[in-house]
């Protein structure tokens, strides 16, 4: 029977059998329908199999058991109307013409649409835990398993790539007389292995093949987590069709796709890719090892802008009846989980003066015109790599665009737009070549559940970063830019090792931001020490208030990176809702890197980091790849018994505060900026102790101007005070203009309001819960724990106003707190 995982307890299964066959390229052809909240169309997958993927397995743990009638049951899909993409037609509905879908064919109105994902029809995966043998055992057909969830799959067919004009150049025969499965697979093999210099020709042929006719439907079935496909008589991955087309549609409740309204009230949709990655957006191979390229055509009403992970700054092609088509492509192989799309009425922010240098740079560095001269050897599979392009290596600021809802235009113009060039330049000065040729930045809707998310060529930022001064916006932008190197260009081979992405981005955001502000070395050092002080407090709090098993950065220990014979695996705690709100992999990863940098010295460490990036870009790594290379660069006298095994033991494989950090932090916790805050805290404690009527000769306290991070630390210290009277809170609010500060400061201010029941400022709490949803979940808990009727009323009222638009996992957590 089908596996039902308990999302509060279980790991996330990666089902795809990547050891036997790998997707090398996806071609998506999709229509966005805002009325039905569905994305539908086709995806064509191009595969490569070979000896390095084929694994024969007779293991009983990996075999579909014959005693389960459901386990290996496959049927042809029921007759259904497959959506036919026709860009000549567009029907807009009265009163909804801006938001209607376009280019759609006939919809299926049958209850039997060929999608077999209900409990009665689902085929089970009966094996050791989540995986089924998909190799060749006996006379059974080869089984292709794709990661898939919350999708309606309508039809799966083989694509007749031999029918594409000119395709015979990829065969040994000048004319195609007899077309066989072997010949089609030979064509796909030649296509996916074309040299990087022929990438444009390759993309054109991929597009042509994706439009080729079908040559036979394939058997398929779905269960909760996968789509399973086979062809009768194809007993190995080599025999299986290497180009298949899947007709499918998303579901409005699909967990990879968020349908909502932007801050101007216009409908929009974006993909979050978490916690189940993109499997509810398209059937794919989710394990990180499945590195692929893609191209996508997306149609929507002409009033919408389509942004996507793509190397080209796409412009719309106008189709008939007010419909527009957008096309993006990627030539650098990436995990499917990194694919991102956002469709909405976004407005592009333009700098006051056109940066002609940027436009010239984009023209000269566009892959369509670039001369990829190979300087040095890269360790990744061949693709048009910027590290091998001398012009790209010196490009400090890559071409970039900023998008937002129209109501946030002024805020973006004033803050974000000005920060992008210095932050990009700072990143280049620290790490060197930008891995990606361009960047779009989008301010996403209020329900976005974090402050930011980086994908290839596109960054999502929360509206929360736009308030207050530029500090929070700058640091978060730097954090997401850092992910271009760590998380995207260099990925974790095992997704449980999140610190390889988040720890690096957290450590680098301080360095980039100091460089972007052109701070003097001593000032940069002071601010980084202050940040370390704040993160030390947060790590202690996290360790006190989270399950021990969730505090381990390398929970699989020596089995990290291991997969089953088929290539399937699990992400430890991947479905645990608590994990979304935890920062332990950010914080412990950050402190580990800080510890190592101090051992080497900053100059040596960052010189090493540039060397590491050059060595491993375009590849997947495990912790030991980084640590072994780093230790080779530490002089023997500075190692002091450092080893990969010791770092695993102390930092990555144990819960709680790492032992080296426990002894190191107390000595360096009080930097100059932190001591200044401590002095201000004492002043506020004195103010709070004064009687209501003060003696005339008592002098007024004079408070120093504080940096945003100092304000955060000040408020955290004041949260430790048992009581603060209303006059003190009012004075705090006025002295630092707290309601106008950035979201990090306002969050602490709201905590003070709730703790001391400062009713005059409840409006600030209500505003925060509605406008800063990425950070507000914790406040709901504080409001309910107070057991104060008025505070609980505030919590319930705010939830009622936002729950329909709130991120689903956040809404579930809050609902559990409230009811």
């Amino acid at each position: 029977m089908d596996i039902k995982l308990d999302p509060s307890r279980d790991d996330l299964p990666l089902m795809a059998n990547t050891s036997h066959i790998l997707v090398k390229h996806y071609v998506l052809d999709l229509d966005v329908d805002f009325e039905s909240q569905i994305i539908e169309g086709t995806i064509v997958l191009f595969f490569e199999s070979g000896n390095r993927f084929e694994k024969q397995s007779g293991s009983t743990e990996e075999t579909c058991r014959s005693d389960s009638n459901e386990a290996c049951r496959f049927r042809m899909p029921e007759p259904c109307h497959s959506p036919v993409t026709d860009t000549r037609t567009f029907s807009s509905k009265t009163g909804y013409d801006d938001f209607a879908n376009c280019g759609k064919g006939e919809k299926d109105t049958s209850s039997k649409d060929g999608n077999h994902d209900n409990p009665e029809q689902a085929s089970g995966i009966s094996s050791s835990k989540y995986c089924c043998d998909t190799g060749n055992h006996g006379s059974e057909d080869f089984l292709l398993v794709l990661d898939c969830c919350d999708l309606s799959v309508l039809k799966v067919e083989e694509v007749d790539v031999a029918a594409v004009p000119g395709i015979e150049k990829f065969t040994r025969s000048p004319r195609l007389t007899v077309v066989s499965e072997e010949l089609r697979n030979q064509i796909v093999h030649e296509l996916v292995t074309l040299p990087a210099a022929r990438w444009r020709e390759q993309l054109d042929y991929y597009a042509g093949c994706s439009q080729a006719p079908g040559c036979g439907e394939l058997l398929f079935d779905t269960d909760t987590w996968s789509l399973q496909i086979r062809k009768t008589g194809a007993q190995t991955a080599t025999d299986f069709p290497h180009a298949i087309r899947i007709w499918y549609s998303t579901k409005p409740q699909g967990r990879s796709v968020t349908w909502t309204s932007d801050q101007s009230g216009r409908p929009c949709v974006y993909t979050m890719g978490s916690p189940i990655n993109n499997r509810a957006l398209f059937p794919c191979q989710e394990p990180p090892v499945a590195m692929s390229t893609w191209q996508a055509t997306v149609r929507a009403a002409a009033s919408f802008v389509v942004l996507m992970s793509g190397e080209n700054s796409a412009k719309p092609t106008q189709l008939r009846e007010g419909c527009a088509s957008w096309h993006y492509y990627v030539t650098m192989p990436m995990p499917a989980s990194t694919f991102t799309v956002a469709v909405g009425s976004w407005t592009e922010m333009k700098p006051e003066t056109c940066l002609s240098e940027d436009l010239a740079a984009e023209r000269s560095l566009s892959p369509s015109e670039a001369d990829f001269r190979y300087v040095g050897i890269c360790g990744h599979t061949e693709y048009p790599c910027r590290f091998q392009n001398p012009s790209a290596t010196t490009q400090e600021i890559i071409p970039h665009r900023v998008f937002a809802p129209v109501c946030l235009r002024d805020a973006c113009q004033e803050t974000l737009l000005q920060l992008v060039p210095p932050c990009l330049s700072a990143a280049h000065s620290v790490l060197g070549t930008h891995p990606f040729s361009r960047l779009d930045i989008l301010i996403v809707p209020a329900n976005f559940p974090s402050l930011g998310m980086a994908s290839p060529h596109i960054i999502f930022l929360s509206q929360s970063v736009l308030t207050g001064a530029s500090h929070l916006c700058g640091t978060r932008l730097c954090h997401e830019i850092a992910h271009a190197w760590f998380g995207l260009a260099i990925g974790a081979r095992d997704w449980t090792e999140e610190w390889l992405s988040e720890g690096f981005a957290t450590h680098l955001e301080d360095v980039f931001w100091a460089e972007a502000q052109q701070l003097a070395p001593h000032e940069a050092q002071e601010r980084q020490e202050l940040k370390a002080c704040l993160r030390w407090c947060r790590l202690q709090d996290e360790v006190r208030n989270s399950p021990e098993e969730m505090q381990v950065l390398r929970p699989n220990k020596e089995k990290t990176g291991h997969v089953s014979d088929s290539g399937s695996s699990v992400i430890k705690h991947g479905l645990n809702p608590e994990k979304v709100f935890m920062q332990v992999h950010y914080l412990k990863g950050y402190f580990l890197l800080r510890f190592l940098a101090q051992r080497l010295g900053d100059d040596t460490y960052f010189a090493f980091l540039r060397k590491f990036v050059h060595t491993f870009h375009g590849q997947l790594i495990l912790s030991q790849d980084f640590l072994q290379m780093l230790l080779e660069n530490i002089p023997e006298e500075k190692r002091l018994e450092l080893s990969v095994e010791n770092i695993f033991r102390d930092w990555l494989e144990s819960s709680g505060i790492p032992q080296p950090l426990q002894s190191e932090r107390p000595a360096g916790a009080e930097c100059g900026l932190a001591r200044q805050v401590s002095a201000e805290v004492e002043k506020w404690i004195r103010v709070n102790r004064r009687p209501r009527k003060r003696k005339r000769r008592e002098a007024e306290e004079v408070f120093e101007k504080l940096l945003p991070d100092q304000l955060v630390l000040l408020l955290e210290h004041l949260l430790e005070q048992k009581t603060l009277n209303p006059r003190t809170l009012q004075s705090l609010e006025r002295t630092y203009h707290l309601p106008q500060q950035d979201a990090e400061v306002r969050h602490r201010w709201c905590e003070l309001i709730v703790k001391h029941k400062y009713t005059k400022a409840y409006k600030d709490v209500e505003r925060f819960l509605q406008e800063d949803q990425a950070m507000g979940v914790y406040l709901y808990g504080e409001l309910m724990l107070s057991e104060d009727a008025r505070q609980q009323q505030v919590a319930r009222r705010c939830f009622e106003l936002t729950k329909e638009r709130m991120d689903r996992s956040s809404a579930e957590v809050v609902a559990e707190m409230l009811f």
Side-chain angles (χ1 to χ4, degrees):
M1 60 183 178
D2 193 14
I3 295 169
K4 301 295 183 186
L5 299 179
D6 179 354
S8 68
R9 188 179 66 239
D10 289 298
D11 306 328
L12 174 67
L14 305 179
M15 305 292 287
N17 53 331
T18 54
S19 292
H20 302 297
I21 191 167
L22 281 177
V23 178
K24 304 301 288 184
H25 189 75
Y26 297 93
V27 180
L28 295 100
D29 192 345
L30 302 171
D31 293 286
V32 180
D33 185 347
F34 279 96
E35 186 176 12
S36 62
Q37 296 191 340
I38 283 174
I39 299 173
E40 67 179 4
T42 64
I43 182 169
V44 177
L45 292 75
F46 295 86
F47 297 98
E48 174 75 329
S49 66
N51 292 334
R52 67 186 184 279
F53 305 134
E54 291 271 15
K55 289 189 180 181
Q56 305 296 328
S57 171
S59 165
T60 54
E61 290 186 346
E62 296 284 331
T63 303
C64 292
R65 295 171 187 170
S66 59
D67 61 350
S68 170
N69 293 328
E70 297 289 329
C72 294
R73 179 166 57 84
F74 280 75
R75 301 173 299 284
M76 287 296 293
E78 299 286 345
C80 66
H81 299 290
S82 299
V84 178
T85 301
D86 182 359
T87 57
R88 296 170 298 174
T89 63
F90 170 57
S91 173
S92 63
K93 302 202 175 183
T94 307
Y96 213 81
D97 48 6
D98 273 352
F99 311 143
N101 179 41
C102 58
K104 289 172 57 180
E106 188 176 2
K107 277 193 177 181
D108 176 29
T109 56
S110 166
S111 60
K112 294 183 178 180
D113 64 359
N115 175 45
H116 307 155
D117 59 358
N118 61 55
E120 290 75 30
Q121 293 178 308
S123 73
I125 300 292
S126 66
S127 67
S128 57
K129 191 169 183 185
Y130 302 123
C131 52
C132 177
D133 177 31
T134 51
N136 173 24
H137 44 92
S139 61
E140 291 187 15
D141 297 328
F142 171 77
L143 177 67
L144 170 68
V145 180
L146 298 174
D147 293 296
C148 172
C149 183
D150 300 337
L151 292 178
S152 293
V153 178
L154 307 174
K155 182 171 73 170
V156 182
E157 64 182 356
E158 181 177 357
V159 177
D160 186 7
V161 294
V164 176
I167 202 73
E168 59 272 7
K169 70 191 295 182
F170 295 114
T171 70
R172 299 181 184 90
S173 307
R175 298 179 62 190
L176 301 181
T177 51
V178 179
V179 177
S180 63
E181 188 74 73
E182 184 180 359
L183 180 64
R184 293 191 192 98
N185 287 354
Q186 178 196 336
I187 290 170
V188 174
H189 170 75
E190 296 296 328
L191 179 56
V192 302
T193 55
L194 277 179
R198 296 173 65 184
W199 68 270
R200 171 61 73 184
E201 179 187 9
Q202 186 182 46
L203 284 178
D204 289 344
Y205 273 103
Y206 277 138
C209 289
S210 73
Q211 298 298 317
C215 56
E217 292 194 27
L218 301 176
L219 304 163
F220 77 93
D221 216 339
T222 60
D223 63 19
T224 303
W225 294 110
S226 70
L227 167 64
Q228 305 149 27
I229 304 167
R230 65 170 45 161
K231 179 179 180 178
T232 303
Q235 295 186 10
T236 69
T238 304
D239 301 330
F240 189 81
H242 280 30
I244 66 171
R245 181 184 293 114
I246 301 171
W247 303 80
Y248 78 97
S249 63
T250 65
K251 297 181 179 180
Q253 71 275 19
R255 281 166 280 178
S256 303
V257 186
T258 300
W259 299 88
T260 187
S261 298
D262 68 18
Q263 292 86 339
S264 295
R266 302 279 289 180
C268 62
V269 60
Y270 65 87
T271 57
M272 184 61 191
S274 179
I276 63 165
N277 298 321
N278 274 323
R279 66 183 71 188
L281 177 63
F282 58 91
C284 55
Q285 290 183 330
E286 284 284 10
V289 69
M291 306 268 275
S292 58
T293 52
W294 59 75
Q295 60 198 105
T297 299
V298 176
R299 285 169 296 279
S303 59
F304 290 100
V305 173
V306 177
L307 302 177
M308 196 184 301
S309 305
E311 290 167 20
N312 55 316
S313 297
K315 304 294 181 187
T317 299
Q318 296 301 321
L319 306 175
R320 295 183 181 182
E321 302 290 341
C323 178
S325 173
W326 300 71
H327 181 77
Y328 289 87
Y329 61 83
V330 161
T331 62
M332 175 183 175
M334 301 286 293
S337 60
T338 64
F339 179 95
T340 301
V341 63
V343 184
S345 301
W346 321 123
T347 299
E348 184 178 355
M349 311 301 136
K350 301 277 190 182
E352 291 181 6
T353 56
C354 182
L355 299 176
S356 56
E357 300 87 353
D358 277 358
L359 296 176
E362 181 168 14
R363 283 196 296 273
S364 65
L365 290 167
S366 168
S368 61
E369 301 172 24
D371 169 24
F372 290 101
R373 288 162 287 181
Y374 298 106
V375 288
I377 299 172
C378 292
H380 54 69
T381 57
E382 192 182 2
Y383 64 82
C385 178
R386 287 174 54 81
F387 286 80
Q388 299 169 0
N389 184 333
S391 300
T393 60
T394 59
Q395 188 182 27
E396 294 182 19
I397 303 171
I398 55 175
H400 53 274
R401 305 183 297 181
V402 175
F403 294 87
V406 66
C407 65
L408 295 176
R409 183 203 305 267
D410 291 346
C412 284
Q413 290 277 8
E414 292 168 12
T415 307
L416 177 58
L417 197 61
Q418 317 303 320
L419 292 174
V420 181
C423 290
L424 286 171
S425 180
H428 180 273
S429 71
V430 175
L431 291 181
T433 307
H434 287 280
F436 301 102
S437 58
R438 67 171 202 96
L439 177 64
D440 284 340
I441 300 169
L442 172 66
I443 300 297
V444 281
N447 69 344
F448 189 68
S450 74
L451 287 179
M453 184 180 80
S455 300
H457 315 98
I458 185 168
I459 286 172
F460 289 171
L461 288 179
S462 165
Q463 65 178 23
S464 294
V465 305
L466 297 177
T467 57
S470 62
H471 176 72
L472 180 59
C473 189
T475 54
R476 196 66 206 194
L477 179 60
C478 286
H479 182 100
E480 303 307 335
I481 288 173
H483 278 312
W485 286 268
F486 292 96
L488 296 175
I490 301 174
R493 207 171 88 212
D494 186 318
W495 280 334
T496 60
E497 294 203 303
E498 289 175 82
W499 82 273
L500 288 170
S501 173
E502 298 301 352
F504 277 93
T506 304
H507 191 229
L508 287 167
E509 75 177 58
D510 299 348
V511 181
F512 289 1
W513 184 228
E515 183 74 22
Q517 297 173 93
Q518 298 183 322
L519 298 179
H522 72 279
E523 193 175 0
Q525 178 69 22
E526 273 288 299
R527 295 196 185 188
Q528 288 171 25
E529 288 295 334
L530 175 64
K531 204 76 172 182
C533 185
L534 282 170
R535 290 179 180 136
W536 170 244
C537 296
R538 287 179 202 169
L539 179 58
Q540 288 178 303
D541 187 59
E542 182 125 328
V543 166
R544 279 193 299 265
N545 297 294
S546 62
E548 283 195 12
E549 67 270 16
M550 302 284 283
Q551 300 171 20
V552 180
L553 302 192
R554 197 168 177 263
N556 292 336
K557 299 186 178 179
E558 70 279 358
K559 293 184 178 179
T560 301
H562 288 201
V563 296
S564 70
D565 283 353
S566 72
S568 63
S569 60
V570 297
I571 303 177
K572 198 77 173 170
H573 308 304
L575 290 173
N576 191 317
E578 288 183 61
K579 193 171 184 294
V580 179
F581 304 103
M582 290 187 64
Q583 291 195 328
V584 68
H585 43 289
Y586 293 74
L587 298 171
K588 287 175 78 169
Y590 156 80
F591 278 114
L592 170 56
L593 294 171
R594 179 181 161 86
F595 168 77
L596 294 171
Q598 288 171 340
R599 283 291 180 93
L600 269 74
D602 280 352
D603 290 345
T604 305
Y605 175 77
F606 286 107
F608 158 74
L609 216 52
R610 285 188 289 275
K611 179 181 175 183
F612 179 79
V613 164
H614 196 273
T615 302
F616 282 100
H617 70 274
Q619 300 177 66
L620 302 171
I621 65 168
L622 296 173
S623 294
Q624 53 264 43
D625 297 314
F626 170 75
L627 295 173
Q628 284 167 356
M629 185 173 173
L630 179 104
L631 291 175
E632 289 168 6
N633 283 264
I634 298 181
E636 191 65 43
E637 67 273 10
K638 288 188 176 181
R639 286 194 194 177
L640 300 179
E641 299 183 0
L642 271 185
S643 67
V644 173
E645 293 72 25
N646 290 346
I647 294 171
F648 279 171
R649 182 195 66 217
D650 294 340
W651 290 89
L652 304 181
E653 294 181 356
S654 58
S655 59
I657 306 288
Q659 188 58 47
L661 185 58
Q662 291 182 36
S663 53
E664 180 263 339
R665 270 317 297 168
E670 282 291 289
C671 63
L673 292 175
R675 286 195 296 272
Q676 187 181 10
V677 170
S678 297
E680 297 303 294
V681 170
E682 290 303 317
K683 293 178 187 176
W684 283 109
I685 291 173
R686 288 198 295 270
V687 167
N688 191 57
R689 287 173 181 164
R690 285 175 182 165
R692 188 174 182 85
K693 291 185 179 180
R694 292 187 290 110
K695 296 176 183 178
R696 287 186 182 178
R697 59 178 181 272
E698 268 190 295
E700 289 280 350
E701 293 285 1
V702 178
F703 297 102
E704 300 290 335
K705 186 176 180 180
L706 299 178
L707 297 167
D709 282 338
Q710 286 182 299
L711 273 178
V712 171
L713 187 59
L714 174 87
L715 297 177
E716 287 189 354
H717 283 321
L718 290 177
L719 276 165
E720 296 170 4
Q721 297 299 307
K722 190 173 182 180
T723 57
L724 293 178
N725 61 54
R727 284 181 295 107
T728 303
L729 293 167
Q730 185 179 46
S731 185
L732 261 174
E733 180 181 359
R734 289 175 178 173
T735 300
Y736 301 117
H737 309 288
L738 293 175
Q740 286 76 52
Q741 295 290 343
D742 69 38
E744 290 276 14
V745 176
R746 288 186 289 110
H747 187 272
R748 272 64 173 193
W749 170 232
C750 288
E751 287 183 72
L752 275 175
I753 294 168
V754 173
K755 178 174 180 177
H756 299 291
K757 299 181 174 59
Y758 183 42
T759 56
K760 286 184 179 179
Y762 279 3
K763 63 184 184 302
D764 292 344
V765 178
E766 293 181 17
R767 174 192 159 204
F768 194 92
L769 291 176
Q770 293 175 64
E771 296 181 8
D772 300 280
Q773 294 179 33
M775 304 171 68
V777 172
Y778 176 79
L779 278 180
Y780 278 106
E782 294 296 294
L783 286 165
M784 297 307 293
L785 284 172
S786 69
E787 298 186 354
D788 178 87
R790 186 169 174 184
Q791 289 194 359
Q792 292 185 349
Q793 186 182 16
V794 167
R796 292 194 173 100
R797 182 168 64 248
C798 289
F799 183 62
E800 198 61 35
L801 289 170
T802 58
K803 67 179 181 182
E804 296 304 322
R805 300 186 306 277
M806 189 179 284
D807 168 70
R808 184 178 304 144
S809 59
S810 299
E812 289 173 0
V813 171
V814 173
E816 195 172 320
M817 293 176 183
L818 302 188
F819 307 108

